[in-house]
Amino acid sequence: MGELPVAAMIRIIRNATGMRVGRDAGEYLAEYLEEVASEIASEAGKYAKHAGRKTVKASDLKLAVT
């Protein structure tokens, strides 16, 4: 299993749709978001390193998603 809780993913889908949600949908969303988040974090790490820092800041993440 990954880092994101499946129950939270199910809640997000349910709140967005007002529908019942299968566990497989929650698991898929968690896997997908973890992959996207990992790519963003990696890119943000490059910005932090380029700035001479060992700490990733919110500004690095903002640059990574734009």
Side-chain angles (χ1 to χ4, degrees), residues 17-51:
T17 64
M19 300 174 73
R20 293 173 39 183
V21 181
R23 183 166 180 82
D24 61 336
E27 290 171 353
Y28 178 79
L29 183 60
E31 290 173 18
Y32 179 79
L33 291 179
E34 286 171 9
E35 184 177 315
V36 171
S38 180
E39 292 171 10
I40 292 169
S42 177
E43 190 68 22
K46 291 176 189 176
Y47 287 119
K49 189 172 185 176
H50 178 74

Side-chain angles (χ1 to χ4, degrees), residues 6 13 35 41 61:
V6 174
I13 298 168
E35 184 177 315
L61 291 168

